[in-house]
Amino acid sequence: MPPLVIGHRGAPGYLPEHTRSSYELAIAQGVDALEPDVVATRDGVLVIRHENEISDTTDVADRAEFAHLKRTKQFAGHSMTGWFTEDFTWDELSTLRCRERLPRIRTQSATHDDTEPILRLVDLLEIIGAASRPIGLVLEIKHAAYFQAIGLDLVPLLEADLKQAGWLDADSPLTFESFEPTVLTTLRERGVPGTYIHLIEAEGSPVDLLVSLGADAPTYRDIVSPRGLDALVGRFDGISLDKKLILVPNALGRITRPAPVVAEAQQRGLRVFTWTARPENRFLSRQFRLGSEPARFGDYEGEWDLLRQAGLDGVFVDHADLGVAFFR
């Protein structure tokens, strides 16, 4: 069975991520599901942005009326300066316009800068509801521990938006994912129906576990070890791996077969997704790059074939049409 093809933030290979036009293009190009990243405003509105820091994805830096909201924060273990969704009301944030996050790589997409507003989660749910065929939702919850610490608990906000849109029925094609296992556990314990997927970075540890456990926090690599996978069974429905954990070079520096972690997880009854299949040299493993231009398409089919060989249950793609054509 082919993997689920998931439009990663819509179709950001062609149009700025998380915009209405990007999501609608992904639907038109045939994806099975859409993946938004969800963060919150000061007044508790869930909005769709790659991060809560929005200087790279909106025109906020050019808006003099919001200059006073520029902040430097200690965030996820490091210092970050910019504009953050939690410092805006929805009415303020709704006046901003979206921009291409990678303008040097995706120059054509950048020509659409400043033409579309930020979406709320409820807006995307309406887009999916208007589609002519069923579309799944793979909802990534961003920085839940941080938001909770500043008094913005994302869990009841998610429940309210999903209930309003009729997405809390047991048969809704709803998947929750997060790098932080605590918020997934909380949602499941509250009886929110859905598929629960633990996102896995190639390095580091979950931020929420670092906060609660300190030096005893497991690393992501601990979590996908055989013992770690055993501990996930019954708690989550699957994992979503940074593709670097699947495309592991051998002693000669070549990737010739997928790493065993996918099969090991599936043997335990866990579903396995991977992120993110992209065609540009910038994002490909070194052996599949063609030339030195980062924006040029490399031998992406060569890399993607190894992902296909892994027998994955789902693949996140930026170019929806290419992903559908190749993986389906």
Side-chain angles (χ1 to χ4, degrees), residues 254-271:
R254 302 285 294 176
I255 307 166
T256 60
R257 66 188 65 174
V261 61
V262 176
E264 291 170 352
Q266 290 172 333
Q267 287 165 7
R268 291 163 170 81
L270 297 168
R271 302 181 71 190

Side-chain angles (χ1 to χ4, degrees), residues 199-212:
L199 280 162
I200 304 292
E201 294 265 23
E203 303 293 342
S205 298
V207 171
D208 58 328
L209 299 186
L210 285 172
V211 170
S212 61

Side-chain angles (χ1 to χ4, degrees), residues 3 88 116-117 171 175 218 277 281 296 315:
F88 292 76
E116 297 189 63
D171 60 349
T175 296
N281 278 331
R296 179 184 175 184
V315 178

Side-chain angles (χ1 to χ4, degrees), residues 114-133:
D114 302 339
T115 62
E116 297 189 63
I118 291 172
L119 295 177
R120 299 166 298 176
L121 175 59
V122 293
D123 298 322
L124 178 58
L125 297 176
E126 288 180 0
I127 292 169
I128 295 175
S132 60
R133 59 186 176 86

Side-chain angles (χ1 to χ4, degrees), residues 75-155:
F75 186 78
H78 59 276
S79 179
M80 184 179 295
T81 298
W83 287 263
F84 298 82
T85 59
E86 65 269 21
D87 296 325
F88 292 76
T89 65
W90 166 243
D91 284 347
E92 292 170 332
L93 207 63
S94 67
T95 68
L96 299 179
R97 293 298 177 262
C98 299
R99 288 184 175 177
E100 169 56 47
R101 189 171 60 88
L102 303 167
R104 295 184 179 180
I105 300 295
R106 293 173 175 168
T107 55
Q108 180 59 37
S109 175
T111 65
H112 298 272
D113 283 358
D114 302 339
T115 62
E116 297 189 63
I118 291 172
L119 295 177
R120 299 166 298 176
L121 175 59
V122 293
D123 298 322
L124 178 58
L125 297 176
E126 288 180 0
I127 292 169
I128 295 175
S132 60
R133 59 186 176 86
I135 302 292
L137 180 69
V138 182
L139 195 159
E140 181 176 348
I141 306 165
K142 281 286 181 78
H143 312 306
Y146 167 77
F147 278 110
Q148 186 170 31
I150 63 172
L152 286 167
D153 188 347
L154 300 185
V155 169

Side-chain angles (χ1 to χ4, degrees), residues 196-259:
Y196 286 83
I197 302 292
H198 191 338
L199 280 162
I200 304 292
E201 294 265 23
E203 303 293 342
S205 298
V207 171
D208 58 328
L209 299 186
L210 285 172
V211 170
S212 61
L213 300 176
D216 293 328
T219 67
Y220 286 113
R221 288 184 181 266
D222 291 334
I223 292 169
V224 294
S225 69
R227 179 178 295 182
L229 291 172
D230 287 342
L232 296 182
V233 176
R235 296 176 59 211
F236 305 114
D237 299 300
I239 55 176
S240 184
L241 301 169
D242 184 330
K243 66 185 177 72
K244 295 175 186 175
L245 294 170
I246 301 171
L247 303 174
V248 180
N250 60 22
L252 299 177
R254 302 285 294 176
I255 307 166
T256 60
R257 66 188 65 174

Side-chain angles (χ1 to χ4, degrees), residues 5 15 17 47 58-59 63 73 75 114-115 126 128 131 158 182 185 188 196 205 221 224 255 257 260 281 297:
V5 179
L15 293 164
E17 65 188 30
V47 295
T58 72
D59 62 347
R63 301 287 292 273
K73 300 188 178 188
F75 186 78
D114 302 339
T115 62
E126 288 180 0
I128 295 175
L158 283 164
T182 304
T185 299
R188 173 161 267 179
Y196 286 83
S205 298
R221 288 184 181 266
V224 294
I255 307 166
R257 66 188 65 174
N281 278 331
F297 283 17

